[in-house]
Amino acid sequence: MLGVLLLLAAADPLTAPAVGTAATCLIVGRQLDYKVASADVLLVRAGGRWHRSRLPDGCPGLKPNMIIVRRDASPRACANDLFEVKDNFTPQVFSLCRFGRFEPLNKASRF
C-alpha cells in the first residue's frame, strides 16, 4: 500500500493516467495553483485535485519560474480561456496561451 502511494506521489505528470473524463471548465475556488510540466502541459490544482491541461497550441514562454495570469476574472477557468505568462520581476508578457481541457489526476498524486 505504501509503495503504491509513493508511486503516485512521484508520478510523472506527463504520463500519469487521467481518472475520469476531461472537464471543459473548473470552478475556481479561492485560488488556483499552477505548475509547469512542459511547454505543452500545465498542471492546475482546483477542488483539492490536480488536473492536467494539454495546451492546444503549446506555450513557448512557459517555464517553471514564470507567473500565470488568467485574462478572464470569471469564477470558472475553461478550455480555450487565455492566460498570460509573465516574468516575476518585470511587466513583460512572454506568451499569450490557451488552456486545454482539464484531465483529472489521482487525488493522491503530488507534483
Side-chain angles (χ1 to χ4, degrees):
M1 176 79 168
L2 182 60
V4 171
L5 289 176
L6 289 175
L7 180 62
L8 287 173
D12 178 13
L14 300 175
T15 60
V19 179
T21 58
T24 302
C25 294
L26 295 176
I27 301 298
V28 176
R30 295 179 186 198
Q31 71 179 31
L32 289 176
D33 288 333
Y34 303 102
K35 289 202 177 186
V36 176
S38 73
D40 299 318
V41 176
L42 185 66
L43 299 175
V44 181
R45 185 177 172 102
R49 176 185 297 263
W50 285 103
H51 298 78
R52 177 177 45 225
S53 180
R54 297 180 191 275
L55 309 176
D57 304 318
C59 192
L62 193 60
K63 296 177 186 167
N65 293 328
M66 299 301 224
I67 296 173
I68 295 170
V69 179
R70 289 181 43 226
R71 285 204 137 177
D72 187 5
S74 78
R76 300 182 322 163
C78 295
N80 291 320
D81 281 356
L82 294 173
F83 65 91
E84 296 175 343
V85 178
K86 294 184 171 189
D87 182 46
N88 200 14
F89 302 105
T90 67
Q92 182 177 357
V93 175
F94 284 89
S95 292
L96 183 62
C97 306
R98 295 183 302 138
F99 288 111
R101 292 178 54 90
F102 301 95
E103 303 169 352
L105 300 177
N106 191 307
K107 276 196 169 192
S109 296
R110 304 283 182 258
F111 303 106

XYZ file of all heavy atoms in Angstrom:
846
model
N 0.836 -1.201 0.000
C 0.000 0.000 0.000
C 0.869 1.249 0.000
O 0.633 2.164 -0.756
C -0.918 -0.048 1.214
C -1.766 1.170 1.371
S -3.149 1.096 0.270
C -4.111 2.393 0.919
N 1.879 1.280 0.877
C 2.766 2.434 0.939
C 3.521 2.602 -0.374
O 3.717 3.713 -0.842
C 3.746 2.295 2.110
C 4.707 3.452 2.311
C 3.928 4.734 2.559
C 5.636 3.183 3.472
N 3.907 1.475 -0.984
C 4.598 1.533 -2.270
C 3.740 2.172 -3.352
O 4.216 2.930 -4.176
N 2.433 1.886 -3.343
C 1.519 2.470 -4.319
C 1.397 3.966 -4.086
O 1.409 4.758 -5.025
C 0.129 1.794 -4.237
C -0.884 2.533 -5.092
C 0.219 0.346 -4.661
N 1.294 4.399 -2.830
C 1.206 5.819 -2.519
C 2.472 6.558 -2.926
O 2.401 7.659 -3.452
C 0.926 6.041 -1.033
C -0.474 5.661 -0.567
C -0.585 5.838 0.938
C -1.530 6.475 -1.274
N 3.628 5.948 -2.691
C 4.880 6.574 -3.097
C 4.966 6.663 -4.617
O 5.436 7.647 -5.162
C 6.077 5.811 -2.539
C 6.293 5.934 -1.035
C 7.434 5.034 -0.595
C 6.553 7.368 -0.626
N 4.476 5.640 -5.307
C 4.482 5.644 -6.768
C 3.593 6.774 -7.291
O 3.961 7.503 -8.199
C 3.997 4.297 -7.303
C 3.939 4.153 -8.822
C 5.332 4.298 -9.413
C 3.327 2.837 -9.204
N 2.403 6.937 -6.707
C 1.515 8.017 -7.126
C 2.097 9.372 -6.786
O 1.968 10.327 -7.532
C 0.146 7.869 -6.468
C -0.730 6.740 -7.007
C -1.976 6.599 -6.152
C -1.084 6.959 -8.446
N 2.746 9.474 -5.639
C 3.309 10.752 -5.219
C 4.409 11.197 -6.164
O 4.603 12.381 -6.379
C 3.843 10.643 -3.791
N 5.133 10.245 -6.743
C 6.245 10.587 -7.618
C 5.873 10.433 -9.092
O 6.740 10.348 -9.927
C 7.440 9.684 -7.288
N 4.573 10.393 -9.394
C 4.126 10.171 -10.767
C 4.613 11.282 -11.692
O 4.695 12.431 -11.302
C 2.604 10.084 -10.807
N 4.890 10.889 -12.917
C 5.268 11.850 -13.950
C 3.986 12.508 -14.462
O 3.087 11.815 -14.958
C 5.994 11.123 -15.084
C 6.379 12.041 -16.223
O 6.304 13.282 -16.051
O 6.748 11.523 -17.287
N 3.850 13.822 -14.360
C 2.606 14.469 -14.764
C 2.276 14.323 -16.244
O 1.131 14.439 -16.642
C 2.815 15.937 -14.396
C 4.281 16.103 -14.254
C 4.837 14.774 -13.871
N 3.271 14.048 -17.060
C 3.026 13.905 -18.496
C 2.428 12.551 -18.836
O 1.701 12.414 -19.814
C 4.313 14.128 -19.285
C 4.961 15.500 -19.121
C 6.283 15.557 -19.858
C 4.024 16.596 -19.586
N 2.734 11.524 -18.020
C 2.271 10.174 -18.325
C 1.305 9.614 -17.292
O 0.794 8.518 -17.481
C 3.474 9.217 -18.434
O 4.180 9.214 -17.189
C 4.397 9.633 -19.553
N 1.042 10.334 -16.217
C 0.108 9.845 -15.195
C -1.264 9.651 -15.831
O -1.720 10.507 -16.596
C 0.017 10.836 -14.034
N -1.931 8.522 -15.543
C -3.241 8.290 -16.161
C -4.299 9.247 -15.618
O -4.307 9.580 -14.435
C -3.562 6.846 -15.781
C -2.744 6.577 -14.562
C -1.522 7.432 -14.666
N -5.180 9.688 -16.495
C -6.305 10.529 -16.073
C -7.317 9.643 -15.362
O -7.472 8.471 -15.685
C -6.932 11.203 -17.275
N -8.007 10.210 -14.379
C -9.030 9.497 -13.627
C -10.365 10.146 -13.982
O -10.688 11.217 -13.476
C -8.770 9.605 -12.106
C -9.842 8.900 -11.326
C -7.401 9.071 -11.766
N -11.086 9.559 -14.897
C -12.353 10.139 -15.336
C -12.182 10.907 -16.629
O -11.105 10.966 -17.216
N -13.281 11.524 -17.046
C -13.267 12.258 -18.308
C -12.764 13.682 -18.101
O -12.903 14.256 -17.021
C -14.684 12.308 -18.925
O -15.561 12.925 -17.992
C -15.190 10.926 -19.257
N -12.213 14.246 -19.134
C -11.683 15.609 -19.075
C -12.840 16.605 -18.985
O -13.867 16.447 -19.640
C -10.831 15.891 -20.305
N -12.652 17.622 -18.161
C -13.669 18.659 -17.984
C -13.362 19.853 -18.869
O -12.204 20.180 -19.105
C -13.704 19.098 -16.522
N -14.401 20.504 -19.330
C -14.229 21.709 -20.128
C -13.903 22.903 -19.232
O -13.122 23.760 -19.603
C -15.498 22.009 -20.945
O -15.771 20.874 -21.762
C -15.327 23.226 -21.818
N -14.501 22.948 -18.032
C -14.286 24.062 -17.101
C -14.035 23.546 -15.693
O -14.491 22.466 -15.330
C -15.507 24.980 -17.060
S -15.830 25.849 -18.597
N -13.308 24.338 -14.919
C -13.091 24.086 -13.496
C -13.669 25.255 -12.719
O -13.534 26.407 -13.130
C -11.600 23.981 -13.171
C -10.819 22.821 -13.768
C -9.346 22.957 -13.392
C -11.365 21.494 -13.287
N -14.305 24.947 -11.604
C -14.789 26.006 -10.725
C -13.590 26.512 -9.940
O -12.863 25.748 -9.319
C -15.862 25.476 -9.756
C -17.045 24.899 -10.538
C -16.320 26.573 -8.813
C -17.773 25.882 -11.402
N -13.388 27.814 -9.991
C -12.264 28.421 -9.293
C -12.696 28.703 -7.859
O -13.657 29.423 -7.633
C -11.837 29.733 -9.989
C -10.740 30.411 -9.218
C -11.430 29.462 -11.418
N -11.978 28.126 -6.921
C -12.257 28.428 -5.526
C -11.575 29.727 -5.155
O -11.604 30.702 -5.882
N -10.938 29.731 -4.035
C -10.234 30.949 -3.611
C -9.040 31.242 -4.496
O -8.667 32.365 -4.721
C -9.795 30.803 -2.164
C -10.979 30.726 -1.262
C -10.585 30.562 0.148
N -11.808 30.354 0.910
C -11.897 30.503 2.178
N -10.862 30.846 2.883
N -13.037 30.294 2.785
N -8.410 30.193 -4.990
C -7.281 30.384 -5.891
C -7.003 29.101 -6.633
O -7.433 28.034 -6.231
C -6.034 30.818 -5.133
C -5.421 29.725 -4.272
C -4.172 30.205 -3.557
O -4.064 31.358 -3.227
N -3.254 29.314 -3.325
N -6.300 29.220 -7.723
C -5.816 28.066 -8.472
C -4.313 27.980 -8.273
O -3.634 28.995 -8.219
C -6.102 28.225 -9.964
C -7.549 28.126 -10.423
C -7.628 28.415 -11.919
C -8.116 26.768 -10.137
N -3.814 26.770 -8.162
C -2.370 26.554 -8.143
C -1.976 26.046 -9.519
O -2.693 25.244 -10.121
C -1.982 25.510 -7.095
C -2.113 26.012 -5.680
O -2.007 27.230 -5.471
O -2.316 25.184 -4.783
N -0.836 26.507 -10.006
C -0.328 26.087 -11.304
C 1.074 25.534 -11.139
O 1.857 26.053 -10.364
C -0.237 27.271 -12.280
C -1.526 28.008 -12.512
C -1.786 29.209 -11.894
C -2.467 27.491 -13.392
C -2.959 29.897 -12.125
C -3.645 28.176 -13.631
C -3.894 29.377 -12.993
O -5.052 30.046 -13.223
N 1.367 24.506 -11.920
C 2.736 24.002 -12.030
C 2.982 23.690 -13.489
O 2.124 23.142 -14.174
C 2.944 22.751 -11.183
C 2.953 23.042 -9.713
C 3.652 21.963 -8.946
C 3.655 22.396 -7.496
N 4.402 21.537 -6.669
N 4.159 24.024 -13.943
C 4.524 23.780 -15.337
C 5.117 22.385 -15.451
O 6.092 22.060 -14.780
C 5.547 24.832 -15.820
C 5.999 24.530 -17.231
C 4.960 26.226 -15.699
N 4.508 21.554 -16.301
C 5.051 20.221 -16.565
C 5.954 20.253 -17.792
O 6.971 19.581 -17.841
C 3.921 19.214 -16.756
N 5.572 21.051 -18.790
C 6.377 21.239 -20.003
C 5.813 22.466 -20.726
O 4.862 23.076 -20.257
C 6.302 20.003 -20.905
O 5.041 19.913 -21.533
N 6.371 22.783 -21.875
C 5.863 23.927 -22.643
C 4.504 23.622 -23.260
O 3.849 24.517 -23.773
C 6.855 24.307 -23.741
N 4.067 22.372 -23.180
C 2.779 21.960 -23.747
C 1.761 21.525 -22.706
O 0.605 21.283 -23.048
C 2.979 20.806 -24.731
C 3.869 21.188 -25.887
O 3.716 22.303 -26.403
O 4.737 20.378 -26.265
N 2.192 21.369 -21.450
C 1.306 20.835 -20.406
C 1.423 21.673 -19.148
O 2.520 21.946 -18.658
C 1.657 19.361 -20.082
C 0.797 18.835 -18.941
C 1.484 18.489 -21.316
N 0.257 22.059 -18.636
C 0.171 22.828 -17.400
C -0.657 22.023 -16.406
O -1.690 21.458 -16.764
C -0.507 24.172 -17.683
C -0.584 25.168 -16.545
C 0.815 25.647 -16.161
C -1.431 26.355 -16.958
N -0.188 21.948 -15.168
C -0.947 21.291 -14.099
C -1.696 22.372 -13.331
O -1.118 23.397 -12.983
C -0.020 20.529 -13.161
C 0.778 19.408 -13.806
C 1.750 18.819 -12.812
C -0.141 18.338 -14.342
N -2.969 22.130 -13.087
C -3.825 23.091 -12.402
C -4.464 22.376 -11.221
O -5.067 21.317 -11.385
C -4.922 23.628 -13.344
C -5.789 24.641 -12.629
C -4.320 24.213 -14.600
N -4.323 22.964 -10.025
C -4.947 22.368 -8.844
C -6.202 23.166 -8.494
O -6.139 24.368 -8.262
C -3.989 22.364 -7.661
C -4.560 21.653 -6.459
C -3.530 21.608 -5.334
N -4.129 21.104 -4.144
C -3.988 19.866 -3.679
N -3.203 19.035 -4.334
N -4.585 19.480 -2.594
N -7.323 22.480 -8.490
C -8.603 23.087 -8.135
C -9.459 22.023 -7.458
O -9.459 20.862 -7.875
C -9.314 23.617 -9.377
N -10.152 22.403 -6.413
C -11.021 21.461 -5.719
C -10.271 20.328 -5.052
O -10.779 19.221 -4.950
N -9.029 20.574 -4.619
C -8.256 19.540 -3.930
C -7.684 18.473 -4.837
O -7.219 17.438 -4.374
N -7.697 18.688 -6.134
C -7.200 17.692 -7.083
C -6.395 18.393 -8.171
O -6.714 19.495 -8.581
C -8.387 16.973 -7.711
C -8.034 15.985 -8.791
C -9.267 15.400 -9.437
N -10.072 14.640 -8.535
C -10.031 13.310 -8.419
N -9.212 12.623 -9.179
N -10.800 12.687 -7.570
N -5.351 17.718 -8.636
C -4.571 18.220 -9.772
C -5.253 17.811 -11.062
O -5.790 16.712 -11.180
C -3.147 17.673 -9.741
C -2.289 18.324 -8.717
C -1.922 17.817 -7.499
C -1.678 19.616 -8.797
N -1.136 18.710 -6.832
C -0.971 19.822 -7.600
C -1.674 20.621 -9.759
C -0.253 20.986 -7.346
C -0.965 21.782 -9.517
C -0.268 21.949 -8.316
N -5.239 18.704 -12.034
C -5.753 18.450 -13.372
C -4.640 18.777 -14.368
O -3.890 19.721 -14.170
C -6.959 19.342 -13.675
C -8.112 19.108 -12.766
N -8.162 19.609 -11.494
C -9.251 18.418 -12.956
C -9.293 19.240 -10.926
N -9.972 18.523 -11.790
N -4.568 17.995 -15.426
C -3.571 18.232 -16.478
C -4.270 18.922 -17.642
O -5.311 18.472 -18.118
C -2.973 16.901 -16.916
C -1.979 17.007 -18.038
C -1.369 15.665 -18.394
N -2.361 14.625 -18.486
C -2.226 13.401 -17.954
N -1.145 13.074 -17.294
N -3.177 12.506 -18.088
N -3.716 20.019 -18.080
C -4.254 20.738 -19.233
C -3.205 20.700 -20.340
O -2.134 21.292 -20.201
C -4.592 22.187 -18.845
O -5.105 22.880 -19.948
N -3.529 19.986 -21.397
C -2.634 19.938 -22.558
C -2.957 21.157 -23.421
O -4.049 21.248 -23.980
C -2.819 18.636 -23.321
C -2.455 17.422 -22.487
C -2.633 16.137 -23.265
N -2.527 14.980 -22.409
C -1.407 14.380 -22.057
N -0.254 14.853 -22.500
N -1.414 13.325 -21.278
N -2.029 22.075 -23.487
C -2.261 23.359 -24.143
C -2.375 23.152 -25.652
O -1.461 22.593 -26.265
C -1.142 24.331 -23.788
C -0.872 24.442 -22.281
C 0.306 25.352 -22.018
C -2.102 24.915 -21.539
N -3.490 23.581 -26.267
C -3.749 23.269 -27.679
C -2.646 23.706 -28.638
O -2.330 22.998 -29.574
C -5.040 24.026 -27.995
C -5.636 24.398 -26.697
C -4.539 24.394 -25.681
N -2.063 24.866 -28.420
C -1.032 25.366 -29.326
C 0.343 25.390 -28.674
O 1.259 26.009 -29.196
C -1.392 26.787 -29.786
C -2.752 26.845 -30.438
O -3.063 25.935 -31.222
O -3.514 27.788 -30.151
N 0.472 24.757 -27.512
C 1.708 24.869 -26.760
C 1.810 26.269 -26.176
O 0.914 27.098 -26.319
N 2.880 26.515 -25.484
C 3.079 27.831 -24.880
C 4.586 28.053 -24.770
O 5.210 27.700 -23.772
C 2.392 27.889 -23.521
S 2.281 29.533 -22.833
N 5.206 28.636 -25.796
C 6.662 28.712 -25.862
C 7.345 29.447 -24.708
O 8.454 29.123 -24.360
C 6.941 29.410 -27.187
C 5.656 29.895 -27.698
C 4.560 29.238 -26.939
N 6.707 30.401 -24.073
C 7.344 31.136 -22.983
C 7.134 30.514 -21.625
O 7.619 31.027 -20.621
N 6.428 29.391 -21.559
C 6.076 28.771 -20.285
C 7.278 28.052 -19.680
O 7.816 27.122 -20.266
C 4.922 27.798 -20.501
C 4.201 27.283 -19.287
C 3.577 28.423 -18.498
C 3.123 26.292 -19.693
N 7.691 28.525 -18.507
C 8.814 27.936 -17.771
C 8.431 27.884 -16.301
O 7.562 28.635 -15.854
C 10.071 28.782 -17.951
C 10.561 28.847 -19.365
C 11.754 29.746 -19.484
C 12.115 29.900 -20.957
N 13.053 30.965 -21.172
N 9.082 27.033 -15.507
C 8.688 26.868 -14.101
C 8.679 28.136 -13.256
O 7.882 28.240 -12.347
C 9.710 25.865 -13.569
C 10.112 25.080 -14.765
C 10.085 26.051 -15.909
N 9.506 29.113 -13.509
C 9.566 30.288 -12.635
C 8.756 31.473 -13.146
O 8.954 32.588 -12.696
C 11.022 30.711 -12.435
C 11.783 29.683 -11.650
O 11.225 29.006 -10.795
N 13.047 29.526 -11.949
N 7.843 31.244 -14.044
C 7.027 32.315 -14.599
C 5.709 32.431 -13.837
O 5.281 31.507 -13.162
C 6.742 32.053 -16.076
C 7.994 31.998 -16.912
S 8.918 33.513 -16.806
C 9.337 33.772 -18.472
N 5.048 33.573 -13.988
C 3.757 33.815 -13.362
C 2.674 33.638 -14.422
O 2.806 34.133 -15.543
C 3.700 35.240 -12.781
C 4.717 35.381 -11.666
C 2.303 35.565 -12.278
C 4.856 36.798 -11.156
N 1.606 32.960 -14.049
C 0.484 32.747 -14.951
C -0.663 33.644 -14.501
O -1.069 33.609 -13.341
C 0.069 31.270 -14.959
C 1.221 30.462 -15.538
C -1.218 31.068 -15.729
C 1.089 28.995 -15.398
N -1.170 34.453 -15.417
C -2.250 35.392 -15.115
C -3.414 35.104 -16.049
O -3.272 35.210 -17.271
C -1.786 36.856 -15.296
C -2.926 37.821 -15.005
C -0.580 37.152 -14.435
N -4.543 34.709 -15.474
C -5.746 34.487 -16.280
C -6.286 35.823 -16.764
O -6.325 36.782 -16.029
C -6.818 33.768 -15.458
C -6.481 32.332 -15.190
C -7.557 31.613 -14.382
N -8.904 31.916 -14.819
C -9.898 32.220 -13.981
N -9.697 32.294 -12.689
N -11.104 32.472 -14.454
N -6.727 35.884 -17.992
C -7.266 37.123 -18.549
C -8.726 37.327 -18.175
O -9.213 38.431 -18.175
C -7.139 37.103 -20.064
C -5.722 37.350 -20.507
C -5.756 37.881 -21.864
N -4.814 38.978 -21.982
C -4.604 39.596 -23.108
N -5.275 39.248 -24.168
N -3.740 40.562 -23.171
N -9.432 36.256 -17.866
C -10.848 36.334 -17.540
C -10.999 36.202 -16.022
O -10.447 35.305 -15.413
C -11.582 35.187 -18.241
C -13.076 35.266 -18.107
O -13.568 36.268 -17.552
O -13.749 34.330 -18.565
N -11.755 37.090 -15.413
C -11.925 37.076 -13.956
C -13.178 36.323 -13.533
O -13.672 36.511 -12.433
C -11.976 38.506 -13.430
N -13.699 35.462 -14.387
C -14.919 34.721 -14.056
C -14.610 33.668 -12.983
O -13.454 33.322 -12.752
C -15.489 34.056 -15.303
O -14.762 32.884 -15.613
N -15.643 33.127 -12.343
C -15.423 32.105 -11.312
C -15.087 30.729 -11.884
O -14.954 29.767 -11.144
C -16.746 32.080 -10.551
C -17.755 32.590 -11.507
C -17.029 33.549 -12.413
N -14.948 30.647 -13.207
C -14.577 29.377 -13.833
C -13.356 29.565 -14.727
O -13.211 30.602 -15.370
C -15.723 28.845 -14.691
C -16.979 28.605 -13.927
C -18.093 28.040 -14.757
N -18.176 28.583 -16.101
C -18.862 28.006 -17.080
N -19.495 26.898 -16.869
N -18.901 28.554 -18.276
N -12.516 28.559 -14.754
C -11.416 28.506 -15.726
C -11.817 27.461 -16.755
O -12.122 26.326 -16.390
C -10.116 28.115 -15.042
N -11.852 27.834 -18.017
C -12.358 26.938 -19.064
C -11.319 26.721 -20.154
O -10.433 27.549 -20.366
C -13.628 27.521 -19.679
S -15.006 27.628 -18.534
N -11.484 25.612 -20.864
C -10.649 25.338 -22.034
C -10.830 26.477 -23.023
O -11.925 27.021 -23.166
C -11.051 24.009 -22.659
N -9.771 26.867 -23.653
C -9.687 27.970 -24.611
C -9.668 29.346 -23.968
O -9.565 30.338 -24.675
C -10.781 27.891 -25.686
C -10.559 26.731 -26.617
O -9.437 26.451 -27.001
N -11.626 26.027 -26.943
N -9.780 29.443 -22.637
C -9.566 30.728 -21.967
C -8.104 31.119 -22.127
O -7.215 30.262 -22.106
C -9.883 30.646 -20.471
C -11.367 30.696 -20.166
O -12.167 30.876 -21.110
O -11.722 30.544 -18.983
N -7.844 32.394 -22.258
C -6.476 32.884 -22.421
C -5.809 33.149 -21.079
O -6.464 33.552 -20.120
C -6.484 34.182 -23.229
C -6.943 34.060 -24.682
C -7.061 35.442 -25.300
C -6.001 33.196 -25.480
N -4.506 32.908 -21.039
C -3.699 33.305 -19.896
C -2.377 33.856 -20.394
O -1.929 33.526 -21.486
C -3.494 32.149 -18.899
C -2.700 30.975 -19.429
C -1.321 30.935 -19.281
C -3.332 29.916 -20.052
C -0.581 29.857 -19.743
C -2.604 28.828 -20.513
C -1.234 28.796 -20.366
N -1.811 34.757 -19.592
C -0.528 35.367 -19.928
C 0.568 34.717 -19.104
O 0.354 34.345 -17.950
C -0.550 36.861 -19.618
C -1.525 37.647 -20.435
C -1.599 39.102 -20.012
O -1.144 39.451 -18.900
O -2.117 39.897 -20.807
N 1.726 34.601 -19.687
C 2.917 34.124 -18.987
C 3.822 35.331 -18.810
O 4.253 35.945 -19.790
C 3.633 33.016 -19.784
C 4.887 32.574 -19.070
C 2.689 31.844 -20.025
N 4.053 35.697 -17.549
C 4.826 36.901 -17.238
C 6.054 36.551 -16.407
O 6.081 35.551 -15.710
C 3.978 37.897 -16.457
C 2.829 38.479 -17.236
C 2.115 39.525 -16.429
C 1.119 40.254 -17.279
N 0.548 41.409 -16.589
N 7.008 37.458 -16.473
C 8.200 37.361 -15.649
C 7.861 37.826 -14.235
O 6.995 38.688 -14.036
C 9.307 38.237 -16.244
C 10.589 38.154 -15.456
O 11.005 37.042 -15.104
O 11.169 39.216 -15.193
N 8.535 37.283 -13.262
C 8.294 37.612 -11.860
C 8.736 39.024 -11.506
O 8.224 39.619 -10.571
C 9.029 36.594 -10.987
C 8.493 36.537 -9.588
O 7.423 37.057 -9.293
N 9.239 35.904 -8.711
N 9.676 39.588 -12.229
C 10.275 40.867 -11.843
C 10.021 42.021 -12.809
O 10.307 43.160 -12.487
C 11.786 40.692 -11.659
C 12.113 39.655 -10.639
C 12.564 38.412 -11.016
C 11.950 39.916 -9.288
C 12.862 37.449 -10.069
C 12.230 38.964 -8.331
C 12.691 37.721 -8.725
N 9.504 41.746 -13.989
C 9.232 42.805 -14.957
C 7.795 42.668 -15.450
O 7.199 41.598 -15.329
C 10.183 42.711 -16.167
O 9.885 41.503 -16.890
C 11.630 42.737 -15.750
N 7.228 43.707 -16.034
C 5.866 43.604 -16.552
C 5.776 42.926 -17.921
O 4.708 42.852 -18.503
C 5.417 45.061 -16.631
C 6.677 45.824 -16.831
C 7.742 45.074 -16.076
N 6.876 42.427 -18.413
C 6.915 41.845 -19.750
C 6.062 40.574 -19.830
O 6.128 39.703 -18.974
C 8.352 41.512 -20.138
C 8.476 40.949 -21.536
C 9.918 40.685 -21.920
O 10.831 40.970 -21.163
N 10.121 40.153 -23.098
N 5.260 40.478 -20.892
C 4.476 39.275 -21.178
C 5.274 38.436 -22.169
O 5.638 38.909 -23.241
C 3.091 39.631 -21.763
C 2.351 38.380 -22.174
C 2.289 40.445 -20.765
N 5.562 37.183 -21.813
C 6.367 36.317 -22.674
C 5.520 35.530 -23.655
O 5.952 35.225 -24.742
C 7.210 35.362 -21.826
C 8.385 36.032 -21.200
C 8.277 36.633 -19.961
C 9.600 36.098 -21.848
C 9.356 37.267 -19.377
C 10.689 36.740 -21.286
C 10.560 37.322 -20.040
N 4.305 35.172 -23.237
C 3.420 34.410 -24.114
C 1.973 34.684 -23.750
O 1.663 35.008 -22.608
C 3.669 32.904 -23.975
O 4.912 32.534 -24.479
N 1.114 34.503 -24.721
C -0.323 34.506 -24.516
C -0.799 33.139 -24.990
O -0.622 32.788 -26.164
C -0.977 35.634 -25.327
C -2.472 35.805 -25.169
C -2.827 36.145 -23.716
C -2.984 36.896 -26.093
N -1.358 32.358 -24.077
C -1.653 30.957 -24.365
C -3.093 30.617 -23.992
O -3.762 31.379 -23.306
C -0.699 30.058 -23.590
S 1.032 30.470 -23.873
N -3.542 29.426 -24.426
C -4.895 28.957 -24.136
C -4.843 27.675 -23.324
O -4.003 26.807 -23.575
C -5.651 28.645 -25.427
C -5.909 29.812 -26.302
C -6.717 29.440 -27.536
N -6.065 28.403 -28.333
C -6.708 27.370 -28.885
N -7.998 27.224 -28.732
N -6.053 26.494 -29.608
N -5.760 27.571 -22.349
C -5.918 26.321 -21.616
C -6.514 25.267 -22.544
O -7.289 25.581 -23.444
C -6.901 26.470 -20.441
C -6.379 27.270 -19.284
C -6.918 28.508 -18.989
C -5.375 26.774 -18.478
C -6.466 29.249 -17.912
C -4.909 27.503 -17.400
C -5.451 28.741 -17.113
N -6.165 24.012 -22.278
C -6.827 22.885 -22.927
C -7.856 22.320 -21.964
O -8.085 22.871 -20.880
N -8.472 21.211 -22.320
C -9.409 20.555 -21.399
C -8.643 20.086 -20.166
O -7.431 19.896 -20.227
C -10.107 19.393 -22.100
C -11.052 19.897 -23.198
C -11.732 18.779 -23.943
N -12.440 17.837 -23.103
C -13.720 17.952 -22.748
N -14.421 18.968 -23.166
N -14.287 17.034 -21.992
N -9.338 19.917 -19.070
C -8.720 19.590 -17.783
C -8.937 18.123 -17.451
O -10.063 17.704 -17.167
C -9.300 20.490 -16.689
C -9.088 21.955 -16.954
C -10.067 22.724 -17.565
C -7.886 22.569 -16.617
C -9.873 24.072 -17.815
C -7.676 23.913 -16.868
C -8.682 24.665 -17.471
N -7.855 17.330 -17.498
C -7.915 15.915 -17.190
C -7.682 15.717 -15.698
O -6.608 16.074 -15.202
C -6.844 15.150 -17.969
C -6.926 15.320 -19.467
C -5.697 14.758 -20.172
O -4.719 14.372 -19.509
O -5.736 14.696 -21.408
N -8.629 15.141 -14.962
C -8.428 14.932 -13.535
C -7.378 13.849 -13.278
O -7.385 12.817 -13.953
C -9.809 14.518 -13.019
C -10.485 13.928 -14.203
C -9.935 14.654 -15.408
N -6.491 14.091 -12.347
C -5.479 13.107 -11.972
C -5.838 12.536 -10.595
O -6.642 13.112 -9.862
C -4.094 13.761 -11.953
C -3.664 14.359 -13.293
C -2.327 15.052 -13.152
C -3.599 13.293 -14.374
N -5.228 11.439 -10.241
C -5.499 10.783 -8.971
C -5.303 11.753 -7.818
O -4.333 12.521 -7.805
C -4.574 9.563 -8.831
C -4.966 8.693 -7.683
O -5.102 9.149 -6.549
N -5.166 7.434 -7.975
N -6.220 11.732 -6.834
C -6.126 12.662 -5.711
C -4.842 12.493 -4.909
O -4.377 13.430 -4.280
C -7.327 12.491 -4.779
C -8.520 13.258 -5.242
C -9.530 13.390 -4.129
C -10.562 14.382 -4.561
N -11.428 14.792 -3.480
N -4.270 11.300 -4.919
C -3.030 11.062 -4.174
C -1.792 11.561 -4.911
O -0.714 11.587 -4.339
C -2.880 9.552 -3.877
N -1.954 12.001 -6.142
C -0.808 12.494 -6.928
C -0.265 13.792 -6.331
O -1.018 14.674 -5.955
C -1.217 12.750 -8.379
O -1.604 11.567 -8.995
N 1.047 13.878 -6.262
C 1.733 15.085 -5.779
C 2.788 15.458 -6.802
O 3.535 14.622 -7.283
C 2.420 14.833 -4.429
C 1.501 14.335 -3.344
C 0.661 15.481 -2.779
N -0.180 15.037 -1.708
C -1.468 14.786 -1.809
N -2.075 14.943 -2.942
N -2.175 14.394 -0.781
N 2.842 16.735 -7.119
C 3.819 17.195 -8.119
C 4.607 18.364 -7.594
O 4.204 19.112 -6.781
C 3.111 17.606 -9.422
C 2.285 16.497 -10.003
C 0.907 16.510 -9.929
C 2.898 15.420 -10.599
C 0.144 15.495 -10.458
C 2.141 14.383 -11.130
C 0.763 14.425 -11.059
